[in-house]
Amino acid sequence: MSKSVIIPAVQLEEEPYASVICYPRATPKEMHPRIEELKNLEITAVEFSGKSSAFTLSVLGKGYVGIVVVAHVRNTRLALKMQRVDSDRENLEHEAELLVRANNIGVGPQFVAVTKHFLLMQLIEGYLIEEWLATHRDRVVVRTVLTNILEQCWRLDEIGLDHGELCKAPKHLLVDKTNVPYIVDFETASTQRNASNVTSVCQFLFQGNSEVCKTIAVIIGEQNRKELVEILKKYRKNRDRQTFEDLLKHVFLRV
Ligand SMILES: Nc1ncnc2c1ncn2[C@@H]1O[C@H](COP(=O)(O)OP(=O)(O)OP(=O)(O)O)[C@@H](O)[C@H]1O
Ligand SMILES: [Mg+2]
């Protein structure tokens, strides 16, 4: 893993930084508007650090739509999602709009600003859920974090905002250093679908065969999967608070 470096904004047009800002290849046509946008966002430096990598540089995350790095803005460190040149999205503005809706109910990293190719938001310093579970085995702490995730999903269901990628959420659930969980990436979210955040996240946390499911089962006890399916079926049909609370009771029965 390459070491972490802080590059002043004026140097970002140089390689190898330019090709990460403009991933996977920087051309003057792509680079020029991006440099202007970074200026408008008042970004003074970009920090290449984190557990993922883009070419030779460390980054916080790399997906199909964006590369996420740390940006310095007025002495604060924020997360900057940079749209990949080869992504099939028009811009990051739609994602920003849905993130703001999530923020209104206390979900997601706090939105800061958006331009065509960049989304600036609160930096979540911590772990992906799988890494977090590998080092946090206290059942009460794990129950608190999982309850918080389920409550956030309940609130998203309540406003009809479907995240869209919570049934395979290894990259979309982060837990910060104070054990507060965050749902990230509202890029495939929608208000047009039937919101199924609670059922999707339950599938990811309790019903699959992934490492995450296995670890959770060891810490909080095995689920009675048949009963869980029944409660989720009921929740899908009624989507009321009582059924949601029955679900929580059932899931954490052994903690
Ligand atoms: N606000 C944030 N603070 C810290 N890390 C973040 C933040 N937002 C995203 N990340 C990291 O960057 C990774 C990629 O972000 P994101 O999922 O938004 O990109 P993406 O291109 O849409 O990815 P995918 O194609 O997998 O959906 C995340 O998995 C996470 O590790
Ligand atoms: Mg995405």
Side-chain angles (χ1 to χ4, degrees), residues 11-178:
Q11 225 180 303
L12 293 172
E13 279 178 89
E14 295 169 17
E15 291 296 354
Y17 319 114
S19 287
V20 176
I21 303 291
C22 247
Y23 193 88
R25 203 160 63 88
T27 59
K29 185 173 156 266
E30 294 285 354
M31 198 61 195
H32 184 73
R34 283 174 168 78
I35 291 295
E36 283 307 306
E37 288 172 42
L38 290 175
K39 266 188 208 147
N40 291 339
L41 291 169
E42 297 180 59
I43 289 171
T44 50
V46 165
E47 196 176 311
F48 292 95
S49 62
K51 291 169 200 149
S52 299
S53 55
F55 300 124
T56 56
L57 295 166
S58 297
V59 293
L60 286 176
K62 184 164 118 219
Y64 294 105
V65 169
I67 307 276
V68 182
V69 291
V70 178
H72 293 199
V73 182
R74 282 180 246 115
N75 295 324
T76 328
R77 290 167 77 240
L78 296 169
L80 179 70
K81 183 164 176 173
M82 315 190 288
Q83 190 189 3
R84 287 175 57 156
V85 174
D86 59 358
S87 83
D88 59 0
R89 301 281 148 163
E90 190 64 28
N91 56 53
L92 293 182
E93 280 150 13
H94 177 67
E95 173 171 353
E97 199 185 303
L98 294 171
L99 174 61
V100 169
R101 286 199 199 195
N103 284 173
N104 290 340
I105 50 159
V107 175
Q110 189 65 44
F111 166 80
V112 176
V114 71
T115 61
K116 187 165 192 276
H117 302 103
F118 299 105
L119 169 58
L120 202 53
M121 62 192 140
Q122 177 190 359
L123 171 65
I124 312 302
E125 291 199 271
Y127 318 83
L128 294 171
I129 186 85
E130 188 174 342
E131 293 172 311
W132 183 82
L133 282 165
T135 46
H136 295 74
R137 313 295 282 213
D138 182 282
R139 43 210 314 226
V140 176
V141 174
V142 170
R143 183 186 63 191
T144 307
V145 166
L146 296 183
T147 304
N148 189 337
I149 292 172
L150 287 163
E151 286 283 356
Q152 293 186 33
C153 289
W154 156 262
R155 297 206 292 277
L156 288 171
D157 281 355
E158 277 286 282
I159 63 160
L161 177 53
D162 189 39
H163 179 280
E165 292 188 281
L166 291 179
C167 58
K168 286 181 276 152
K171 288 173 66 187
H172 297 137
L173 295 177
L174 307 183
V175 186
D176 79 6
K177 290 183 177 154
T178 63

Side-chain angles (χ1 to χ4, degrees), residues 159-244:
I159 63 160
L161 177 53
D162 189 39
H163 179 280
E165 292 188 281
L166 291 179
C167 58
K168 286 181 276 152
K171 288 173 66 187
H172 297 137
L173 295 177
L174 307 183
V175 186
D176 79 6
K177 290 183 177 154
T178 63
N179 295 336
V180 175
Y182 286 85
I183 298 171
V184 297
D185 190 9
F186 287 83
E187 169 254 325
T188 43
S190 169
T191 49
Q192 309 299 316
R193 296 187 294 258
N194 218 347
S196 66
N197 301 289
V198 169
T199 44
S200 296
V201 93
C202 280
Q203 207 175 317
F204 173 68
L205 298 172
F206 310 119
Q207 295 178 295
N209 291 313
S210 64
E211 276 313 304
V212 167
C213 281
K214 286 181 198 154
T215 311
I216 291 173
V218 168
I219 300 170
I220 69 165
E222 286 285 348
Q223 298 293 327
N224 180 328
R225 291 197 179 201
K226 216 169 139 212
E227 282 175 22
L228 182 57
V229 167
E230 285 309 312
I231 298 181
L232 287 173
K233 221 185 261 171
K234 191 168 166 215
Y235 176 79
R236 216 175 282 134
K237 220 155 107 206
N238 301 350
R239 212 183 327 112
D240 58 5
R241 185 71 200 179
Q242 187 55 53
T243 315
F244 176 69

